[in-house]
Amino acid sequence: MKFLKGKQQILIYAAAAVMVAGFVLFRYMPLHKKAKALEQAKVQQAMVIARASVQSVQLAALKEKLQKQQIAVGKFEANVPSDRNIGEFLQQIAGLMNKHNLKDQIVQPGEEMKTEELNCIPIVMRCNGQLKQIFEFYKSLQAMDRLIRIEKVELANDGNFSGEVSMETRAVIYYRPQSAKG
């Protein structure tokens, strides 16, 4: 009987070992692999969420930058007309000079330069007046609804120092050729 009891114990141990091995192989290992896979997926999702969070902040900044660019482009489109209108512009300049009581006014357009995208006309403006009047004239130029680039300004006192200043300005105005209309 002792022999049978020893065999029974061995069988019980063997059955227990087989059950433990079966549990480990067929239940624990697959669940452990799934747990590791889920943990990795969780880490990857956290990384994706963090990246998306950073990108959403960047997207907001890019949207803001785009809006600013669209405003700038809109201003450019509005300030660079699609037709030449040089006569109207020269009248506006003369009107501004009159408004600020500037004397000896000369406004002369130069030779037009043409490109595919943008055409420009150089303008020479000369007048005399008080420095404050000339300064106000420049402020009015800046407020105009047409893009003007000032290239050179020369101011000179008169010979008897009466406060009269002569001004010569070289500027450029722009317009879009008919083919560049957007």
Side-chain angles (χ1 to χ4, degrees):
M1 253 324 211
K2 266 189 169 183
F3 177 68
L4 274 175
K5 267 190 172 181
K7 264 189 164 180
Q8 266 184 341
Q9 278 185 340
I10 290 176
L11 280 174
I12 290 173
Y13 288 137
V18 167
M19 288 174 68
V20 168
F23 175 77
V24 167
L25 286 175
F26 299 113
R27 197 72 184 138
Y28 175 76
M29 292 300 281
L31 286 176
H32 184 68
K33 284 182 183 177
K34 278 185 181 179
K36 274 189 171 182
L38 288 175
E39 188 64 34
Q40 285 180 341
K42 184 178 174 183
V43 168
Q44 286 177 343
Q45 283 181 346
M47 288 173 50
V48 167
I49 289 170
R51 198 174 317 132
S53 173
V54 168
Q55 288 175 345
S56 71
V57 170
Q58 290 174 340
L59 182 62
L62 286 174
K63 281 183 181 179
E64 183 180 329
K65 188 174 181 180
L66 176 63
Q67 287 175 338
K68 286 179 182 177
Q69 291 294 326
Q70 286 173 334
I71 290 169
V73 166
K75 285 181 183 177
F76 175 79
E77 293 289 328
N79 291 342
V80 179
S82 60
D83 50 356
R84 196 167 176 251
N85 286 342
I86 187 70
E88 183 181 320
F89 175 75
L90 296 177
Q91 285 178 346
Q92 287 177 336
I93 296 295
L96 288 176
M97 286 180 170
N98 288 334
K99 177 183 173 185
H100 297 293
N101 300 317
L102 297 171
K103 300 174 233 146
D104 302 327
Q105 304 170 7
I106 298 174
V107 182
Q108 295 176 324
E111 188 175 328
E112 187 174 334
M113 293 174 267
K114 295 183 177 187
T115 66
E116 277 186 39
E117 300 289 323
L118 202 60
N119 294 348
C120 58
I121 303 170
I123 303 287
V124 176
M125 298 177 274
R126 291 185 189 103
C127 63
N128 295 328
Q130 299 291 317
L131 187 59
K132 183 176 181 178
Q133 294 168 317
I134 292 173
F135 180 73
E136 292 299 321
F137 169 72
Y138 280 119
K139 282 175 47 178
S140 297
L141 269 181
Q142 185 178 9
M144 286 183 72
D145 59 350
R146 185 166 188 155
L147 184 65
I148 303 168
R149 186 182 79 216
I150 305 292
E151 292 186 334
K152 184 178 181 182
V153 174
E154 289 182 22
L155 299 172
N157 276 328
D158 64 344
N160 59 6
F161 300 102
S162 66
E164 187 93 358
V165 176
S166 66
M167 177 270 297
E168 180 176 326
T169 299
R170 297 187 187 280
V172 178
I173 62 168
Y174 298 93
Y175 71 95
R176 289 176 281 140
Q178 297 297 330
S179 62
K181 281 185 181 179

